[in-house]
Amino acid sequence: TTLKECKKEEKADREFQKKFKFEGSINVLTQMMVDPAATEKRGGGKNLPLRRGEILDVIQFTNQEQILCRNSQRR
């Protein structure tokens, strides 16, 4: 990883923490794959776009219906 990539990742993490009022360091609990048969959805607001087969990092299990995740673009 280059210094430029590290700085870009740090900036994305700060934006993530601000947007979701997330305190402390961001730790990946596990990863999950979006169901390959799922209907693809456009993102909006605080919702990620859903792309079939995409691997997401799980940051926090917020409730039974929602999970705080980030995609490969650290969004």
Side-chain angles (χ1 to χ4, degrees):
T1 309
T2 67
L3 181 60
K4 186 176 180 180
E5 289 170 333
C6 282
K7 291 198 178 285
K8 191 174 182 179
E9 288 177 1
E10 287 175 5
K11 182 179 179 190
D13 286 355
R14 283 193 305 274
E15 289 172 0
F16 178 93
Q17 288 170 315
K18 184 177 179 182
K19 183 173 188 171
F20 293 98
K21 298 177 177 73
F22 192 86
E23 299 286 327
S25 61
I26 298 170
N27 298 315
V28 176
L29 301 176
T30 188
Q31 291 185 314
M32 61 177 275
M33 181 193 312
V34 176
D35 186 342
T39 302
E40 294 199 0
K41 295 182 181 179
R42 291 174 49 119
K46 294 185 178 181
N47 294 319
L48 277 173
L50 289 181
R51 294 192 315 218
R52 295 181 190 118
E54 181 177 30
I55 304 295
L56 302 174
D57 292 337
V58 176
I59 307 299
Q60 186 179 59
F61 293 95
T62 53
N63 62 45
Q64 291 183 348
E65 295 180 14
Q66 293 184 319
I67 300 171
L68 183 59
C69 297
R70 71 177 175 199
N71 60 18
S72 58
Q73 289 82 43
R74 298 180 87 84
R75 293 190 176 148

